[in-house]
């Protein structure tokens, strides 16, 4: 049976001489793997260049509830990204967030709230002309709401510490070594109270941004089994510094 769905490209892997297996986060079916025969050929109907990280898609797919590799009847980039593929900072942010999302979202079932958030955030980033150096920090902070470990905001703005293990703000230093202390607690509080429209008000130094992303990755690793290390983080830090 054929189904229409929106999708977000997570990962494309060469398969054989001319084919590709692409993992796409779909609106209707969650994360699915699709084989595209002939994608690497010069005149392919669905070419490799259409399957870049976090490209947004309209799809018509065949779907079987077997968990196996599926097939695509039609695919188009929609909306077509205008700036992310050509802007060094935006493209590095996309590659970094793509790696995080690939490790964080594993369900082969519909996750429409997460999908809508990610799809809309990518569109927003693509349309921005101003400074987006802190976009990934805000994105990852907000994403925790959909992944089930959004910080408890009780005492936000009135605490010196944020306990990474328990996801809570505290006036006293936590027993474990996994926490944020001033001024990073206050910076994290600011992130939690910020919207994408207010992103220009975020004024973090390179060192503050680097520290926050390191701690956010630790926070993710504590709450997502098998999360591991994010290799593209070092490249992003280099580009933003």
């Amino acid at each position: 049976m054929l189904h229409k769905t929106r999708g977000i490209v997570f990962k494309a892997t060469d398969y054989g001489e001319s084919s590709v297996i692409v993992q796409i986060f779909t609106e209707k079916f969650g994360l699915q793997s699709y084989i595209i025969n002939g994608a690497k050929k010069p005149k392919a109907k669905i070419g490799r260049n259409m399957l870049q990280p976090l490209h947004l898609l309209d799809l018509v797919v065949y779907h079987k509830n077997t968990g196996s590799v599926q097939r695509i009847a039609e695919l188009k980039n929609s909306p077509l990204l205008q700036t992310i593929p050509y802007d060094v900072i935006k493209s590095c942010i996309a590659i970094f967030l793509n790696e995080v999302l690939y490790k964080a979202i594993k369900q082969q079932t519909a996750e429409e709230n997460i999908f809508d958030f990610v799809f809309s955030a990518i569109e927003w980033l693509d349309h921005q002309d101003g400074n987006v150096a802190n976009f990934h920090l805000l994105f990852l902070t907000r994403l925790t709401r959909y992944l089930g470990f959004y910080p408890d905001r009780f005492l936000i703005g009135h605490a010196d510490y944020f306990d990474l293990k328990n996801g809570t703000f505290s006036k006293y230093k936590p027993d474990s070594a996994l926490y944020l202390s001033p001024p990073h607690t206050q910076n994290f509080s600011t992130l939690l109270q910020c919207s994408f429209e207010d992103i220009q008000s975020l004024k973090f130094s390179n060192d503050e941004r680097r520290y926050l992303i390191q701690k956010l990755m630790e926070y993710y690793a504590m709450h997502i089994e098998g999360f591991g290390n994010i290799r593209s983080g070092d490249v992003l830090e280099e580009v933003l510094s």
Side-chain angles (χ1 to χ4, degrees):
M1 184 179 294
L2 288 170
H3 301 267
K4 290 184 177 180
T5 183
R6 292 186 299 167
I8 305 168
V9 178
F10 274 9
K11 185 177 182 180
T13 305
D14 291 342
Y15 181 77
E17 291 186 4
S18 62
S19 299
V20 166
I21 291 179
V22 58
Q23 290 177 292
I24 299 174
F25 182 38
T26 69
E27 186 174 21
K28 280 192 174 180
F29 307 111
L31 186 61
Q32 297 289 329
S33 295
Y34 297 94
I35 186 167
I36 304 175
N37 294 323
K40 293 189 287 182
K41 292 182 178 179
K43 297 183 179 180
K45 181 180 177 182
I46 301 174
R48 192 72 159 75
N49 63 322
M50 302 171 72
L51 307 171
Q52 299 304 309
L54 296 192
H55 272 35
L56 307 177
L57 309 172
D58 269 344
L59 301 159
V60 178
V61 300
Y62 299 94
H63 185 76
K64 296 180 180 180
N65 295 317
T66 59
S68 60
V69 176
Q70 314 280 358
R71 290 190 176 272
I72 295 173
E74 298 177 24
L75 179 152
K76 66 177 181 178
N77 295 123
S78 179
L80 185 65
L81 297 181
Q82 301 296 317
T83 65
I84 291 175
Y86 313 106
D87 182 290
V88 173
I89 291 177
K90 288 184 180 181
S91 62
C92 284
I93 287 174
I95 290 169
F96 171 73
L97 293 180
N98 178 80
E99 187 177 356
V100 172
L101 287 164
Y102 181 69
K103 292 190 173 189
I105 299 175
K106 304 171 184 177
Q107 297 90 341
Q108 291 184 321
T109 55
E111 297 283 350
E112 291 185 12
N113 289 338
I114 301 178
F115 182 90
D116 286 341
F117 166 72
V118 176
F119 198 98
S120 297
I122 296 167
E123 281 191 288
W124 188 91
L125 175 64
D126 193 53
H127 293 152
Q128 295 314 296
D129 295 325
N131 184 2
V132 294
N134 295 310
F135 174 84
H136 57 303
L137 292 173
L138 185 54
F139 177 95
L140 292 172
T141 302
R142 294 170 69 91
L143 180 64
T144 60
R145 183 187 295 276
Y146 302 95
L147 297 177
F149 51 95
Y150 188 68
D152 183 343
R153 288 166 52 119
F154 184 68
L155 292 181
I156 191 171
H158 303 283
D160 289 330
Y161 301 94
F162 178 72
D163 185 335
L164 290 164
K165 184 176 180 181
N166 296 307
T168 56
F169 286 93
S170 173
K171 294 182 179 180
Y172 309 102
K173 186 182 294 185
D175 292 334
S176 75
L178 304 171
Y179 61 85
L180 297 176
S181 57
H184 306 293
T185 304
Q186 288 69 34
N187 289 339
F188 187 54
S189 297
T190 300
L191 272 176
L192 286 169
Q193 298 174 85
C194 186
S195 67
F196 286 124
E197 289 69 27
D198 301 324
I199 199 168
Q200 301 302 327
S201 67
L202 295 174
K203 306 296 182 184
F204 299 144
S205 68
N206 289 333
D207 287 341
E208 287 173 329
R209 185 164 47 240
R210 187 177 295 112
Y211 185 84
L212 279 173
I213 198 62
Q214 175 189 334
K215 291 302 179 182
L216 268 170
M217 291 300 90
E218 289 179 13
Y219 188 51
Y220 268 67
M222 284 179 220
H223 293 88
I224 298 174
E225 184 177 355
F227 186 75
N229 296 320
I230 302 298
R231 293 179 296 178
S232 55
D234 290 341
V235 176
L236 178 59
E237 287 180 8
E238 185 69 26
V239 169
L240 292 177
S241 62

PDB file of all heavy atoms in Angstrom, residues 180-194:
ATOM      1  N   LEU A 180      26.054  21.686  36.839  1.00  0.00           N
ATOM      2  CA  LEU A 180      26.477  23.003  36.384  1.00  0.00           C
ATOM      3  C   LEU A 180      26.570  23.922  37.585  1.00  0.00           C
ATOM      4  O   LEU A 180      25.746  23.838  38.502  1.00  0.00           O
ATOM      5  CB  LEU A 180      25.469  23.593  35.397  1.00  0.00           C
ATOM      6  CG  LEU A 180      25.236  22.859  34.075  1.00  0.00           C
ATOM      7  CD1 LEU A 180      24.139  23.557  33.283  1.00  0.00           C
ATOM      8  CD2 LEU A 180      26.505  22.780  33.262  1.00  0.00           C
ATOM      9  N   SER A 181      27.552  24.799  37.579  1.00  0.00           N
ATOM     10  CA  SER A 181      27.693  25.799  38.636  1.00  0.00           C
ATOM     11  C   SER A 181      27.760  27.184  37.987  1.00  0.00           C
ATOM     12  O   SER A 181      27.876  27.299  36.764  1.00  0.00           O
ATOM     13  CB  SER A 181      28.953  25.521  39.465  1.00  0.00           C
ATOM     14  OG  SER A 181      30.104  25.497  38.626  1.00  0.00           O
ATOM     15  N   PRO A 182      27.660  28.258  38.774  1.00  0.00           N
ATOM     16  CA  PRO A 182      27.707  29.614  38.196  1.00  0.00           C
ATOM     17  C   PRO A 182      29.008  29.829  37.420  1.00  0.00           C
ATOM     18  O   PRO A 182      30.055  29.328  37.838  1.00  0.00           O
ATOM     19  CB  PRO A 182      27.647  30.513  39.432  1.00  0.00           C
ATOM     20  CG  PRO A 182      26.977  29.676  40.471  1.00  0.00           C
ATOM     21  CD  PRO A 182      27.449  28.276  40.227  1.00  0.00           C
ATOM     22  N   PRO A 183      28.962  30.566  36.291  1.00  0.00           N
ATOM     23  CA  PRO A 183      27.792  31.236  35.683  1.00  0.00           C
ATOM     24  C   PRO A 183      27.012  30.343  34.722  1.00  0.00           C
ATOM     25  O   PRO A 183      26.046  30.778  34.119  1.00  0.00           O
ATOM     26  CB  PRO A 183      28.433  32.389  34.918  1.00  0.00           C
ATOM     27  CG  PRO A 183      29.727  31.801  34.423  1.00  0.00           C
ATOM     28  CD  PRO A 183      30.215  30.906  35.550  1.00  0.00           C
ATOM     29  N   HIS A 184      27.448  29.080  34.579  1.00  0.00           N
ATOM     30  CA  HIS A 184      26.840  28.198  33.578  1.00  0.00           C
ATOM     31  C   HIS A 184      25.397  27.843  33.925  1.00  0.00           C
ATOM     32  O   HIS A 184      24.584  27.653  33.019  1.00  0.00           O
ATOM     33  CB  HIS A 184      27.696  26.947  33.423  1.00  0.00           C
ATOM     34  CG  HIS A 184      29.133  27.239  33.109  1.00  0.00           C
ATOM     35  ND1 HIS A 184      29.532  27.813  31.920  1.00  0.00           N
ATOM     36  CD2 HIS A 184      30.259  27.081  33.857  1.00  0.00           C
ATOM     37  CE1 HIS A 184      30.844  27.975  31.941  1.00  0.00           C
ATOM     38  NE2 HIS A 184      31.309  27.542  33.095  1.00  0.00           N
ATOM     39  N   THR A 185      25.093  27.768  35.217  1.00  0.00           N
ATOM     40  CA  THR A 185      23.706  27.511  35.615  1.00  0.00           C
ATOM     41  C   THR A 185      22.792  28.616  35.109  1.00  0.00           C
ATOM     42  O   THR A 185      21.703  28.359  34.588  1.00  0.00           O
ATOM     43  CB  THR A 185      23.595  27.408  37.150  1.00  0.00           C
ATOM     44  OG1 THR A 185      24.495  26.407  37.622  1.00  0.00           O
ATOM     45  CG2 THR A 185      22.172  27.059  37.570  1.00  0.00           C
ATOM     46  N   GLN A 186      23.238  29.843  35.244  1.00  0.00           N
ATOM     47  CA  GLN A 186      22.445  30.979  34.797  1.00  0.00           C
ATOM     48  C   GLN A 186      22.318  30.991  33.264  1.00  0.00           C
ATOM     49  O   GLN A 186      21.250  31.322  32.724  1.00  0.00           O
ATOM     50  CB  GLN A 186      23.063  32.290  35.291  1.00  0.00           C
ATOM     51  CG  GLN A 186      22.902  32.538  36.789  1.00  0.00           C
ATOM     52  CD  GLN A 186      23.731  31.588  37.657  1.00  0.00           C
ATOM     53  OE1 GLN A 186      24.836  31.189  37.277  1.00  0.00           O
ATOM     54  NE2 GLN A 186      23.203  31.228  38.820  1.00  0.00           N
ATOM     55  N   ASN A 187      23.382  30.624  32.568  1.00  0.00           N
ATOM     56  CA  ASN A 187      23.319  30.548  31.106  1.00  0.00           C
ATOM     57  C   ASN A 187      22.320  29.477  30.659  1.00  0.00           C
ATOM     58  O   ASN A 187      21.555  29.675  29.709  1.00  0.00           O
ATOM     59  CB  ASN A 187      24.703  30.230  30.530  1.00  0.00           C
ATOM     60  CG  ASN A 187      25.662  31.388  30.657  1.00  0.00           C
ATOM     61  OD1 ASN A 187      25.255  32.542  30.816  1.00  0.00           O
ATOM     62  ND2 ASN A 187      26.948  31.102  30.599  1.00  0.00           N
ATOM     63  N   PHE A 188      22.329  28.351  31.362  1.00  0.00           N
ATOM     64  CA  PHE A 188      21.400  27.273  31.039  1.00  0.00           C
ATOM     65  C   PHE A 188      19.963  27.699  31.334  1.00  0.00           C
ATOM     66  O   PHE A 188      19.037  27.396  30.564  1.00  0.00           O
ATOM     67  CB  PHE A 188      21.771  26.017  31.824  1.00  0.00           C
ATOM     68  CG  PHE A 188      20.990  24.795  31.441  1.00  0.00           C
ATOM     69  CD1 PHE A 188      20.938  24.366  30.122  1.00  0.00           C
ATOM     70  CD2 PHE A 188      20.305  24.066  32.397  1.00  0.00           C
ATOM     71  CE1 PHE A 188      20.209  23.230  29.759  1.00  0.00           C
ATOM     72  CE2 PHE A 188      19.583  22.937  32.049  1.00  0.00           C
ATOM     73  CZ  PHE A 188      19.535  22.524  30.730  1.00  0.00           C
ATOM     74  N   SER A 189      19.770  28.414  32.428  1.00  0.00           N
ATOM     75  CA  SER A 189      18.442  28.940  32.760  1.00  0.00           C
ATOM     76  C   SER A 189      17.930  29.861  31.653  1.00  0.00           C
ATOM     77  O   SER A 189      16.755  29.816  31.287  1.00  0.00           O
ATOM     78  CB  SER A 189      18.484  29.704  34.082  1.00  0.00           C
ATOM     79  OG  SER A 189      18.842  28.866  35.157  1.00  0.00           O
ATOM     80  N   THR A 190      18.839  30.689  31.138  1.00  0.00           N
ATOM     81  CA  THR A 190      18.465  31.596  30.053  1.00  0.00           C
ATOM     82  C   THR A 190      18.020  30.818  28.820  1.00  0.00           C
ATOM     83  O   THR A 190      17.030  31.162  28.167  1.00  0.00           O
ATOM     84  CB  THR A 190      19.652  32.508  29.689  1.00  0.00           C
ATOM     85  OG1 THR A 190      20.016  33.281  30.838  1.00  0.00           O
ATOM     86  CG2 THR A 190      19.299  33.449  28.550  1.00  0.00           C
ATOM     87  N   LEU A 191      18.738  29.745  28.492  1.00  0.00           N
ATOM     88  CA  LEU A 191      18.364  28.898  27.360  1.00  0.00           C
ATOM     89  C   LEU A 191      16.964  28.329  27.527  1.00  0.00           C
ATOM     90  O   LEU A 191      16.159  28.321  26.588  1.00  0.00           O
ATOM     91  CB  LEU A 191      19.350  27.732  27.220  1.00  0.00           C
ATOM     92  CG  LEU A 191      20.611  27.919  26.387  1.00  0.00           C
ATOM     93  CD1 LEU A 191      21.469  26.676  26.471  1.00  0.00           C
ATOM     94  CD2 LEU A 191      20.261  28.229  24.940  1.00  0.00           C
ATOM     95  N   LEU A 192      16.659  27.857  28.731  1.00  0.00           N
ATOM     96  CA  LEU A 192      15.369  27.235  28.989  1.00  0.00           C
ATOM     97  C   LEU A 192      14.211  28.217  28.882  1.00  0.00           C
ATOM     98  O   LEU A 192      13.063  27.810  28.661  1.00  0.00           O
ATOM     99  CB  LEU A 192      15.362  26.590  30.381  1.00  0.00           C
ATOM    100  CG  LEU A 192      16.150  25.286  30.523  1.00  0.00           C
ATOM    101  CD1 LEU A 192      16.296  24.902  31.980  1.00  0.00           C
ATOM    102  CD2 LEU A 192      15.464  24.164  29.753  1.00  0.00           C
ATOM    103  N   GLN A 193      14.505  29.481  29.031  1.00  0.00           N
ATOM    104  CA  GLN A 193      13.454  30.497  28.984  1.00  0.00           C
ATOM    105  C   GLN A 193      13.423  31.262  27.662  1.00  0.00           C
ATOM    106  O   GLN A 193      12.679  32.221  27.519  1.00  0.00           O
ATOM    107  CB  GLN A 193      13.645  31.471  30.153  1.00  0.00           C
ATOM    108  CG  GLN A 193      13.537  30.785  31.516  1.00  0.00           C
ATOM    109  CD  GLN A 193      13.882  31.719  32.664  1.00  0.00           C
ATOM    110  OE1 GLN A 193      13.034  32.460  33.151  1.00  0.00           O
ATOM    111  NE2 GLN A 193      15.139  31.681  33.097  1.00  0.00           N
ATOM    112  N   CYS A 194      14.229  30.822  26.711  1.00  0.00           N
ATOM    113  CA  CYS A 194      14.372  31.526  25.437  1.00  0.00           C
ATOM    114  C   CYS A 194      13.608  30.791  24.334  1.00  0.00           C
ATOM    115  O   CYS A 194      13.507  29.558  24.353  1.00  0.00           O
ATOM    116  CB  CYS A 194      15.856  31.619  25.075  1.00  0.00           C
ATOM    117  SG  CYS A 194      16.222  32.604  23.621  1.00  0.00           S
TER     118      CYS A 194
END
